[in-house]
Amino acid sequence: MSILAQQRLQEIADVKEELAQRDWFFGTSGNLSIKVSEEPTTFFVSASGKDKRKRTSEDFLLVDSHGKAAEETHLKPSAETLLHVKVYSHTNAGCSLHVHTIDNNVISELYSDEGKVTFKGQEIIKALGIWEEDAEVTVPIIPNYADITTLAEVFAEYVTADQGAVLIRNHGITVWGENAFEAKKALEAYEFLFSYHVKILSLKKYNQSTLT
């Protein structure tokens, strides 16, 4: 393994460990990837079915631009590897993260009929590189197609910039960025927005019920 590949593997393993400490990998859900090379495109992606709360030597495998193992291994790439393929084939992003949390699933369910959810006026939006006063950010929400090829094609319609995010209804969020740090920062910002919004809605409903 090259020195660069070792560095990238260490980076994504550190991200996985931090997100695991946040308890964002329920029931082995979620997947992570980090680009290693451009020509040809290769990236590390999390292996399928692993407990991401644990750190082992078999947490990731190297795959090619089609999401197929680039080296001989008994490991299988995550079921959502095609989503990561779309990120690296459509943008210059260097890292992609996919997590299922309770809050992002609730948000995706609440706003699925609208096909998007918009947040405005939150200071945390600056973490996404949006610095305008009273800034807003919109996250598209797509159906959770059982066929991963169909899901990836619909997902790809919204992969148009080097940083972004897409919610899949009841199937979590995929966030990507220039590198592991930027992708993790963006993921944390979106999860903050989701959690804040869910709490605000709950408090408003509680206040309304106590006044009636």
Side-chain angles (χ1 to χ4, degrees):
M1 185 185 298
S2 69
I3 294 176
L4 176 61
Q6 291 175 5
Q7 292 173 339
R8 294 292 180 267
L9 184 58
Q10 181 68 42
E11 286 179 53
I12 198 65
D14 288 345
V15 170
K16 181 180 77 70
E17 185 170 326
E18 186 171 341
L19 299 187
Q21 291 172 356
R22 296 174 182 271
D23 204 20
W24 285 357
F25 295 128
F26 299 97
T28 77
S29 66
N31 39 81
L32 311 86
S33 72
I34 192 166
K35 187 189 291 182
V36 176
S37 63
E38 293 272 3
E39 296 181 4
T41 297
T42 60
F43 60 93
F44 283 113
V45 68
S46 46
S48 179
K50 299 290 183 178
D51 184 350
K52 296 176 183 66
R53 294 180 179 86
K54 298 179 180 179
R55 189 162 184 164
T56 76
S57 61
E58 296 189 334
D59 292 333
F60 297 92
L61 67 153
L62 190 68
V63 298
D64 61 20
S65 60
H66 302 289
K68 305 296 183 183
E71 303 171 331
E72 186 158 343
T73 178
H74 68 279
L75 300 174
K76 293 183 178 180
S78 168
E80 283 86 35
T81 297
L82 280 182
L83 301 185
H84 301 273
V85 166
K86 296 300 183 183
V87 168
Y88 299 129
S89 63
H90 286 62
T91 75
N92 294 313
C95 182
S96 177
L97 309 173
H98 174 75
V99 299
H100 305 214
T101 66
I102 295 172
D103 288 332
N104 70 39
N105 272 251
V106 169
I107 291 292
S108 73
E109 179 67 20
L110 287 174
Y111 295 95
S112 60
D113 289 344
E114 298 174 31
K116 62 182 180 180
V117 58
T118 299
F119 304 98
K120 184 176 182 179
Q122 288 293 311
E123 184 72 10
I124 198 71
I125 292 175
K126 289 180 179 178
L128 303 171
I130 305 171
W131 290 81
E132 294 86 355
E133 185 175 349
D134 211 24
E136 67 178 44
V137 62
T138 297
V139 186
I141 303 172
I142 64 174
N144 183 22
Y145 295 102
D147 178 66
I148 190 62
T149 301
T150 302
L151 179 63
E153 290 302 321
V154 175
F155 170 81
E157 296 176 16
Y158 301 93
V159 182
T160 58
D162 294 343
Q163 178 176 295
V166 174
L167 273 166
I168 305 170
R169 183 176 183 179
N170 293 323
H171 188 173
I173 188 171
T174 299
V175 175
W176 60 94
E178 178 184 356
N179 50 45
F181 174 78
E182 292 297 330
K184 182 175 75 71
K185 181 174 68 171
L187 177 61
E188 290 170 343
Y190 285 116
E191 288 295 330
F192 177 97
L193 291 169
F194 299 152
S195 182
Y196 175 87
H197 195 66
V198 167
K199 288 178 173 62
I200 284 293
L201 291 178
S202 298
L203 287 171
K204 286 182 176 179
K205 185 173 182 179
Y206 173 78
N207 289 336
Q208 289 173 353
S209 65
T210 58
L211 293 174
T212 57

Short mmCIF file of all heavy atoms in Angstrom, two decimals, residues 9-31:
data_model
loop_
_atom_site.label_atom_id
_atom_site.label_comp_id
_atom_site.label_asym_id
_atom_site.label_seq_id
_atom_site.Cartn_x
_atom_site.Cartn_y
_atom_site.Cartn_z
N LEU A 9 -6.46 6.07 4.33
CA LEU A 9 -7.12 5.05 5.15
C LEU A 9 -7.17 5.48 6.61
O LEU A 9 -8.19 5.29 7.29
CB LEU A 9 -6.37 3.72 5.01
CG LEU A 9 -6.98 2.52 5.73
CD1 LEU A 9 -8.41 2.26 5.26
CD2 LEU A 9 -6.13 1.27 5.50
N GLN A 10 -6.09 6.09 7.09
CA GLN A 10 -6.06 6.59 8.47
C GLN A 10 -7.09 7.69 8.66
O GLN A 10 -7.80 7.74 9.67
CB GLN A 10 -4.66 7.12 8.80
CG GLN A 10 -4.51 7.64 10.22
CD GLN A 10 -4.59 6.54 11.26
OE1 GLN A 10 -4.02 5.47 11.07
NE2 GLN A 10 -5.33 6.78 12.34
N GLU A 11 -7.20 8.60 7.67
CA GLU A 11 -8.16 9.71 7.76
C GLU A 11 -9.58 9.20 7.89
O GLU A 11 -10.35 9.65 8.75
CB GLU A 11 -8.05 10.59 6.52
CG GLU A 11 -6.82 11.46 6.46
CD GLU A 11 -6.81 12.28 5.17
OE1 GLU A 11 -7.80 12.97 4.89
OE2 GLU A 11 -5.80 12.20 4.44
N ILE A 12 -9.97 8.28 7.01
CA ILE A 12 -11.36 7.82 7.02
C ILE A 12 -11.64 6.94 8.23
O ILE A 12 -12.76 6.95 8.77
CB ILE A 12 -11.72 7.09 5.69
CG1 ILE A 12 -13.23 7.02 5.51
CG2 ILE A 12 -11.07 5.72 5.61
CD1 ILE A 12 -13.91 8.35 5.35
N ALA A 13 -10.62 6.22 8.71
CA ALA A 13 -10.80 5.42 9.92
C ALA A 13 -11.02 6.32 11.12
O ALA A 13 -11.84 6.02 12.00
CB ALA A 13 -9.57 4.53 10.14
N ASP A 14 -10.31 7.46 11.16
CA ASP A 14 -10.49 8.41 12.26
C ASP A 14 -11.90 9.03 12.22
O ASP A 14 -12.53 9.22 13.27
CB ASP A 14 -9.45 9.53 12.17
CG ASP A 14 -8.05 9.06 12.54
OD1 ASP A 14 -7.92 7.97 13.13
OD2 ASP A 14 -7.08 9.79 12.22
N VAL A 15 -12.38 9.35 11.01
CA VAL A 15 -13.74 9.88 10.88
C VAL A 15 -14.76 8.86 11.35
O VAL A 15 -15.70 9.18 12.09
CB VAL A 15 -14.03 10.30 9.42
CG1 VAL A 15 -15.52 10.63 9.25
CG2 VAL A 15 -13.18 11.49 9.02
N LYS A 16 -14.58 7.61 10.94
CA LYS A 16 -15.51 6.55 11.35
C LYS A 16 -15.55 6.43 12.87
O LYS A 16 -16.63 6.32 13.46
CB LYS A 16 -15.09 5.20 10.75
CG LYS A 16 -16.03 4.05 11.11
CD LYS A 16 -15.58 2.74 10.50
CE LYS A 16 -14.42 2.13 11.23
NZ LYS A 16 -14.79 1.61 12.58
N GLU A 17 -14.39 6.50 13.50
CA GLU A 17 -14.33 6.38 14.95
C GLU A 17 -15.06 7.53 15.63
O GLU A 17 -15.79 7.33 16.61
CB GLU A 17 -12.87 6.35 15.39
CG GLU A 17 -12.69 6.09 16.88
CD GLU A 17 -11.25 5.82 17.24
OE1 GLU A 17 -10.52 5.22 16.44
OE2 GLU A 17 -10.86 6.23 18.35
N GLU A 18 -14.88 8.74 15.11
CA GLU A 18 -15.55 9.90 15.71
C GLU A 18 -17.06 9.82 15.54
O GLU A 18 -17.82 10.12 16.47
CB GLU A 18 -15.01 11.18 15.10
CG GLU A 18 -15.55 12.42 15.77
CD GLU A 18 -14.86 13.69 15.32
OE1 GLU A 18 -13.74 13.62 14.77
OE2 GLU A 18 -15.45 14.78 15.51
N LEU A 19 -17.51 9.42 14.35
CA LEU A 19 -18.96 9.32 14.13
C LEU A 19 -19.56 8.18 14.94
O LEU A 19 -20.71 8.26 15.38
CB LEU A 19 -19.24 9.12 12.63
CG LEU A 19 -18.77 10.23 11.70
CD1 LEU A 19 -19.26 9.98 10.28
CD2 LEU A 19 -19.22 11.60 12.18
N ALA A 20 -18.77 7.12 15.16
CA ALA A 20 -19.24 6.01 15.98
C ALA A 20 -19.44 6.47 17.42
O ALA A 20 -20.39 6.04 18.10
CB ALA A 20 -18.24 4.86 15.93
N GLN A 21 -18.56 7.36 17.90
CA GLN A 21 -18.70 7.88 19.25
C GLN A 21 -19.98 8.71 19.39
O GLN A 21 -20.52 8.83 20.49
CB GLN A 21 -17.48 8.72 19.60
CG GLN A 21 -16.20 7.91 19.77
CD GLN A 21 -14.95 8.76 19.94
OE1 GLN A 21 -15.01 9.99 19.84
NE2 GLN A 21 -13.83 8.12 20.18
N ARG A 22 -20.45 9.26 18.28
CA ARG A 22 -21.71 10.00 18.29
C ARG A 22 -22.92 9.06 18.19
O ARG A 22 -24.06 9.50 18.21
CB ARG A 22 -21.75 10.98 17.11
CG ARG A 22 -20.68 12.07 17.19
CD ARG A 22 -20.72 12.90 15.90
NE ARG A 22 -19.69 13.91 15.89
CZ ARG A 22 -19.81 15.15 16.39
NH1 ARG A 22 -20.96 15.51 16.93
NH2 ARG A 22 -18.82 16.00 16.34
N ASP A 23 -22.64 7.77 18.01
CA ASP A 23 -23.68 6.74 17.87
C ASP A 23 -24.52 6.97 16.63
O ASP A 23 -25.75 6.90 16.66
CB ASP A 23 -24.57 6.71 19.12
CG ASP A 23 -25.24 5.35 19.30
OD1 ASP A 23 -24.76 4.36 18.71
OD2 ASP A 23 -26.24 5.26 20.03
N TRP A 24 -23.86 7.20 15.50
CA TRP A 24 -24.54 7.44 14.24
C TRP A 24 -24.52 6.22 13.32
O TRP A 24 -24.88 6.32 12.15
CB TRP A 24 -23.90 8.64 13.51
CG TRP A 24 -24.27 9.97 14.12
CD1 TRP A 24 -25.14 10.19 15.16
CD2 TRP A 24 -23.81 11.26 13.72
NE1 TRP A 24 -25.24 11.52 15.42
CE2 TRP A 24 -24.44 12.21 14.55
CE3 TRP A 24 -22.93 11.70 12.72
CZ2 TRP A 24 -24.21 13.58 14.43
CZ3 TRP A 24 -22.70 13.07 12.60
CH2 TRP A 24 -23.33 13.99 13.45
N PHE A 25 -24.13 5.05 13.85
CA PHE A 25 -24.07 3.84 13.01
C PHE A 25 -24.94 2.73 13.61
O PHE A 25 -24.46 1.66 13.96
CB PHE A 25 -22.63 3.34 12.89
CG PHE A 25 -21.70 4.27 12.17
CD1 PHE A 25 -20.50 4.66 12.74
CD2 PHE A 25 -22.01 4.75 10.91
CE1 PHE A 25 -19.63 5.51 12.08
CE2 PHE A 25 -21.15 5.62 10.23
CZ PHE A 25 -19.95 5.99 10.83
N PHE A 26 -26.22 2.99 13.70
CA PHE A 26 -27.14 2.00 14.27
C PHE A 26 -27.16 0.72 13.43
O PHE A 26 -27.30 0.77 12.21
CB PHE A 26 -28.56 2.57 14.34
CG PHE A 26 -28.69 3.78 15.21
CD1 PHE A 26 -28.66 5.06 14.67
CD2 PHE A 26 -28.84 3.65 16.58
CE1 PHE A 26 -28.79 6.19 15.47
CE2 PHE A 26 -28.96 4.78 17.40
CZ PHE A 26 -28.93 6.04 16.84
N GLY A 27 -27.05 -0.42 14.08
CA GLY A 27 -27.23 -1.71 13.41
C GLY A 27 -26.36 -1.92 12.18
O GLY A 27 -26.84 -2.46 11.18
N THR A 28 -25.11 -1.48 12.22
CA THR A 28 -24.13 -1.56 11.13
C THR A 28 -24.50 -0.66 9.95
O THR A 28 -23.89 -0.74 8.88
CB THR A 28 -23.90 -3.00 10.60
OG1 THR A 28 -24.99 -3.40 9.76
CG2 THR A 28 -23.69 -3.99 11.73
N SER A 29 -25.51 0.20 10.11
CA SER A 29 -25.92 1.09 9.01
C SER A 29 -24.84 2.13 8.74
O SER A 29 -23.95 2.36 9.55
CB SER A 29 -27.23 1.78 9.35
OG SER A 29 -27.05 2.67 10.44
N GLY A 30 -24.98 2.79 7.60
CA GLY A 30 -24.06 3.85 7.23
C GLY A 30 -22.86 3.33 6.46
O GLY A 30 -22.54 2.14 6.49
N ASN A 31 -22.20 4.24 5.75
CA ASN A 31 -20.99 3.89 5.02
C ASN A 31 -20.18 5.15 4.74
O ASN A 31 -20.72 6.25 4.72
CB ASN A 31 -21.31 3.14 3.72
CG ASN A 31 -22.52 3.68 3.01
OD1 ASN A 31 -22.45 4.68 2.31
ND2 ASN A 31 -23.68 3.03 3.22
#
